[in-house]
């Protein structure tokens, strides 16, 4: 089964590599860069953190990202140890610096979808732009050949679950309890 998934991943990546264009390359590099270390999502949470009415939402966004990071970046990546596609046969197509960590799951994607899950439940008026940006960020990781499509799909599931876990857990965190 893993061989079939790998074969599908490789076919999708080669297809995308052949579709690269200078304009799309710049757009995808910009989008993926905003996701580095969760910068876009930290920036997104700041207005929430500054307003009393929305502070718990901002804190829950950060909690969801933290849970996603612990789950994906610190735990699953070091168990699975999947080599990135850019470390294999696609170097001639690499448009950004080769990331130093393992590939599975996509950390950019899991952080993005943890935020998306929190936003969906706690402030749905922002859901559409957040999920659109999260999807673009996830696609940029595959387009730039630093993740396989299955890494991104796993990141969507893991991030969504981590975001959903953060919502009921946040009232039980002592620091967060001050804001309820």
């Amino acid at each position: 089964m893993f061989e079939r998934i790998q074969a599908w991943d490789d076919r999708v990546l080669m297809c995308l590599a052949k579709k690269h264009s200078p304009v799309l390359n710049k757009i995808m590099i910009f989008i993926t860069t905003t996701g580095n270390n969760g910068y876009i999502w930290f920036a997104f949470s700041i207005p929430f953190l500054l307003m009393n009415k929305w502070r718990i939402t901002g804190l829950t966004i950060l909690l969801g990202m933290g849970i996603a990071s612990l789950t994906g970046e610190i735990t699953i990546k070091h168990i699975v140890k999947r080599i990135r596609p850019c470390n294999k046969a696609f170097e001639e197509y690499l448009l950004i610096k080769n990331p130093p960590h393992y590939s599975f799951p996509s950390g950019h994607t899991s952080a993005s979808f943890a935020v998306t899950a929190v936003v969906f439940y706690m402030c749905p008026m922002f859901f559409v732009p957040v999920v659109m940006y999260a999807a673009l960020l996830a696609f940029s990781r595959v387009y730039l050949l630093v993740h396989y499509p299955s890494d991104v799909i796993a990141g969507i599931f893991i991030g969504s679950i981590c975001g959903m876990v953060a919502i009921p857990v946040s009232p039980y965190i002592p620091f967060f309890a001050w804001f309820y």
Side-chain angles (χ1 to χ4, degrees):
M1 181 168 149
F2 291 117
E3 295 85 20
R4 290 175 55 188
I5 293 170
Q6 186 65 56
W8 176 76
D9 279 340
D10 290 339
R11 280 193 309 275
V12 170
L13 287 179
M14 282 312 298
C15 224
L16 278 175
K18 293 175 183 176
K19 304 285 185 199
H20 282 183
S21 74
V23 172
L24 199 51
N25 292 353
K26 288 180 182 176
I27 292 168
M28 292 296 128
I29 290 169
F30 172 77
I31 290 169
T32 213
T33 302
T34 64
N36 290 349
N37 301 309
Y39 292 140
I40 190 74
W41 305 121
F42 283 113
F44 177 73
S45 71
I46 289 172
F48 292 101
L49 295 170
L50 295 175
M51 295 182 286
N52 284 337
K53 178 182 176 187
W54 294 99
R55 189 162 292 134
I56 196 64
T57 300
L59 291 168
T60 306
I61 287 169
L62 297 177
L63 178 62
M65 289 173 54
I67 295 169
S69 180
L70 286 171
T71 304
E73 293 294 312
I74 296 172
T75 305
I76 297 173
K77 277 192 187 210
H78 295 284
I79 292 170
V80 175
K81 296 182 179 180
R82 188 178 195 188
I83 302 299
R84 289 183 182 269
C86 52
N87 290 344
K88 291 170 83 178
F90 303 103
E91 270 189 48
E92 66 268 21
Y93 298 108
L94 193 58
L95 300 170
I96 61 172
K97 186 179 174 192
N98 192 349
H101 307 292
Y102 295 114
S103 185
F104 184 90
S106 168
H108 282 68
T109 304
S110 62
S112 298
F113 280 86
V115 172
T116 301
V118 172
V119 167
F120 179 78
Y121 288 104
M122 297 185 82
C123 52
M125 69 284 259
F126 296 113
F127 178 72
V128 171
V130 167
V131 77
M132 287 175 58
Y133 200 84
L136 269 173
L137 212 157
F139 176 74
S140 77
R141 304 303 287 168
V142 177
Y143 179 89
L144 294 169
L145 306 176
V146 293
H147 279 292
Y148 294 103
S150 58
D151 299 340
V152 167
I153 292 167
I156 291 168
F157 285 114
I158 291 166
S160 297
I161 290 166
C162 291
M164 288 187 280
V165 165
I167 296 163
V169 167
S170 65
Y172 297 101
I173 295 177
F175 175 75
F176 286 28
W178 292 346
F179 302 104
Y180 274 97

